[in-house]
Amino acid sequence: MHRIEETVARGICIGCGACSAATGGAVRVQLGRTRLYEAVLDEASEPEIRSASRVCPFSDESPNEDELLAPHTDTAMTPDARLGVHSRTFAGRVADEAYLVDSSSGGLASWLVDRLLSEGHADAVIHVGASTGDVDTELFRHRISTSENAADQRKSQYYATTMADALAVVSDTPQRYIVVGVPCFIRAARALCRENPIFQERLTFFVALVCGHYKTHAFADSLAWQLNVHPRDLAAVDFRVKHRDRTANDYDFSARSTLTENTVSAPVRTLVGGNWGHSAFQPEACNFCDDVVGETADVSFGDAWLPEFISYPYGTNVVVSRNRIIDGIFDAGATERAITLLDASADNVAASQAGGFRHRREGLAVRLADDISAGLSVPSKRVSPDKAVEVSPKRANLIRQRRRMAARSHESFLAAVEQDDLSIYLREYRREAARYRRLDIPLPRRVFQNIKGAGRRILDRWNMKRTDRTKQ
């Protein structure tokens, strides 16, 4: 059996912190060498480790997504192997464009949290927000916010955090909490409610953010360093700066240094590691996740990466609801014209996350089969390793190369930081990305794309210079 011990030993821990909450801190969670949080089991007793294992999202001793279901599931809900049981699916966005500019996508996740708080359904929300305090070297942390300040951090943050400290507050403070997080964090929090009645009583709503994969701190550091903001001087980042004259998926990354008040930015697609499909700084845990949308949450929010929505520059959400109270809040918001709701079937929602499903289903089958053949311990998943035989040799090679790219990104960036030389990482990652392209794209098409890319880079540089002249 693959337990929390095997999860930690194999480097599959995601650092969610549920194990720490389940054991009253006996299992510690600390930041590891690759800038990802990880559990430390050395000081915990055997009973404490078993308790920790029952809430670990990558342990066979914890209930999986099908066992947990959503917290307020009823018999009238629709089952779906991709999205989990649900009451409805749709797309939508907040009507106020000024609100959308400071949201990652359509703004519906933060809008819903605000409504749940203001209407008295909950007292506080556990979410990732900007760190506070001059001595804090991490850009983001899990925070607990109330109705007065819950909306001050609306954007998704691609940055490793842990719920451990926030959950310790929950244990000591009897309030009703909303938990916002990626699917594996939500699963861990739901399992924690089964393990401990205090959390069952106090964690009342669960909001999932659709996840392509998680990122370590090095993702932000590497993008900022490419903009000449050294990691040691990095004060703030914005992963998704929207522009009215671009599509929703064409956004900038910006960074600010502690040495200056100026913010520098560039299109994410122009930065090494900015291509999400290349898996830069993806933790190994993400190679063993089969939940794309957050099936165990009351409601899940993702980006509407669909042709009919992507042209709207400020973003649109796809939504999977599993809670009748939340359905009523959405309907009331639409009636008030505070939000706009649009049709999107379950198939549409799944199609909007097609890459994630390929990674978590056929990709997972290949990775499981590879590791089992190598004699490694793997968690039991809802995807069978036997399905690997259905994956074409070309696709299997791409899956393996993406895993290799993730692993190499951690090591090469560590070397770059140690030697204070960004080029070490850039050379390694460009070499791996070129290998991926050779596996994926025939030579004639690669030549055409290289020419097209060169033209786009020239245009990007020209636009950036024009913007600089305008600012002057």
Side-chain angles (χ1 to χ4, degrees):
M1 176 180 283
H2 185 93
R3 307 159 301 167
I4 193 172
E5 296 97 316
E6 287 75 24
T7 296
V8 171
R10 280 219 53 201
I12 304 176
C13 176
I14 198 66
C16 65
C19 56
S20 180
T23 61
V27 173
R28 293 184 295 107
V29 180
Q30 66 183 24
L31 202 58
R33 64 186 291 270
T34 62
R35 308 298 288 170
L36 175 73
Y37 280 96
E38 54 192 31
V40 180
L41 306 177
D42 299 349
E43 299 171 8
S45 67
E46 174 62 20
E48 288 168 335
I49 291 174
R50 297 281 62 77
S51 179
S53 194
R54 287 192 293 271
V55 302
C56 173
F58 296 96
S59 165
D60 293 348
E61 293 185 309
S62 70
N64 70 16
E65 291 80 1
D66 290 341
E67 295 173 84
L68 288 169
L69 294 176
H72 301 95
T73 302
D74 61 54
T75 55
M77 291 193 178
T78 303
D80 189 289
R82 302 158 300 180
L83 310 180
V85 297
H86 58 274
S87 57
R88 66 197 289 193
T89 63
F90 58 92
R93 62 179 77 99
V94 173
D96 182 0
E97 285 196 348
Y99 189 95
L100 289 179
V101 169
D102 291 324
S103 301
S104 276
S105 191
L108 287 182
S110 51
W111 179 88
L112 173 67
V113 167
D114 288 346
R115 282 294 179 105
L116 287 170
L117 293 169
S118 64
E119 293 181 7
H121 297 289
D123 305 306
V125 55
I126 301 168
H127 66 114
V128 177
S131 296
T132 57
D134 295 336
V135 298
D136 200 335
T137 59
E138 296 175 46
L139 299 179
F140 303 97
R141 283 187 177 275
H142 264 81
R143 292 165 43 182
I144 296 179
S145 299
T146 62
S147 57
E148 287 77 29
N149 60 5
D152 64 353
Q153 183 66 65
R154 293 202 295 272
K155 292 194 174 183
S156 297
Q157 311 302 345
Y158 309 121
Y159 195 88
T161 58
T162 180
M163 297 187 293
D165 291 341
L167 290 174
V169 173
V170 171
S171 180
D172 295 336
T173 310
Q175 294 190 99
R176 297 165 301 161
Y177 297 87
I178 305 163
V179 182
V180 181
V182 293
C184 58
F185 278 51
I186 296 296
R187 172 183 161 176
R190 291 289 323 286
L192 180 62
C193 291
R194 283 196 175 192
E195 183 71 11
N196 187 318
I198 290 178
F199 291 100
Q200 176 71 41
E201 176 186 348
R202 296 176 186 176
L203 303 182
T204 54
F205 286 94
F206 300 84
V207 176
L209 306 176
V210 171
C211 181
H213 60 262
Y214 204 55
K215 296 289 192 185
T216 72
H217 295 182
F219 181 60
D221 290 345
S222 71
L223 298 183
W225 204 352
Q226 291 176 64
L227 298 178
N228 296 316
V229 178
H230 196 283
R232 65 172 172 265
D233 302 321
L234 186 56
V237 300
D238 187 335
F239 292 98
R240 295 177 68 162
V241 181
K242 300 178 180 181
H243 293 273
R244 178 182 289 276
D245 58 348
R246 299 192 206 164
T247 57
N249 63 343
D250 186 8
Y251 45 82
D252 283 0
F253 168 85
S254 71
R256 179 170 56 83
S257 170
T258 57
L259 305 178
T260 175
E261 291 300 314
N262 294 333
T263 297
V264 290
S265 64
V268 172
R269 56 182 166 79
T270 66
L271 300 173
V272 173
N275 184 329
W276 211 263
H278 289 172
S279 300
F281 306 108
Q282 172 195 286
E284 179 68 359
C286 299
N287 286 318
F288 295 95
C289 177
D290 58 13
D291 182 3
V292 176
V293 301
E295 300 169 42
T296 66
D298 289 286
V299 61
S300 303
F301 296 91
D303 287 287
W305 299 139
L306 295 167
E308 60 265 40
F309 300 125
I310 207 165
S311 61
Y312 181 70
Y314 296 132
T316 305
N317 286 117
V318 287
V319 183
V320 182
S321 178
R322 310 176 185 89
N323 185 299
R324 305 297 179 181
I325 293 174
I326 288 173
D327 288 344
I329 292 173
F330 282 130
D331 289 337
T335 299
E336 299 163 13
R337 297 187 178 179
I339 60 175
T340 301
L341 302 187
L342 306 162
D343 290 336
S345 67
D347 288 341
N348 291 145
V349 173
S352 75
Q353 310 300 323
F357 281 106
R358 287 192 297 270
H359 179 69
R360 305 289 176 87
R361 302 299 163 86
E362 63 181 37
L364 177 55
V366 171
R367 293 187 294 272
L368 288 171
D370 285 351
D371 285 12
I372 291 170
S373 295
L376 299 173
S377 176
V378 299
S380 296
K381 308 304 298 183
R382 296 172 298 169
V383 174
S384 170
D386 294 340
K387 290 286 186 181
V389 298
E390 300 176 12
V391 180
S392 71
K394 175 185 174 181
R395 182 70 190 159
N397 285 335
L398 287 171
I399 290 164
R400 292 174 180 128
Q401 174 61 10
R402 187 177 291 124
R403 188 178 191 182
R404 172 184 163 88
M405 291 173 74
R408 291 302 308 149
S409 67
H410 301 302
E411 297 304 320
S412 60
F413 192 74
L414 279 170
V417 171
E418 289 170 1
Q419 299 181 45
D420 200 21
D421 183 357
L422 177 62
S423 68
I424 294 172
Y425 161 72
L426 296 180
R427 282 196 305 270
E428 173 81 12
Y429 199 77
R430 283 173 175 145
R431 183 163 54 244
E432 295 297 336
R435 186 169 185 262
Y436 184 89
R437 290 189 69 223
R438 288 195 297 272
L439 292 169
D440 188 32
I441 303 172
L443 180 59
R445 188 172 155 207
R446 288 207 307 273
V447 172
F448 172 76
Q449 287 189 351
N450 286 340
I451 295 171
K452 182 179 177 182
R456 190 158 63 177
R457 286 191 294 274
I458 292 171
L459 181 61
D460 284 336
R461 284 195 292 269
W462 184 82
N463 283 332
M464 291 173 68
K465 289 180 180 178
R466 185 180 64 173
T467 301
D468 291 340
R469 288 196 297 270
T470 302
K471 289 179 179 179
Q472 293 173 357

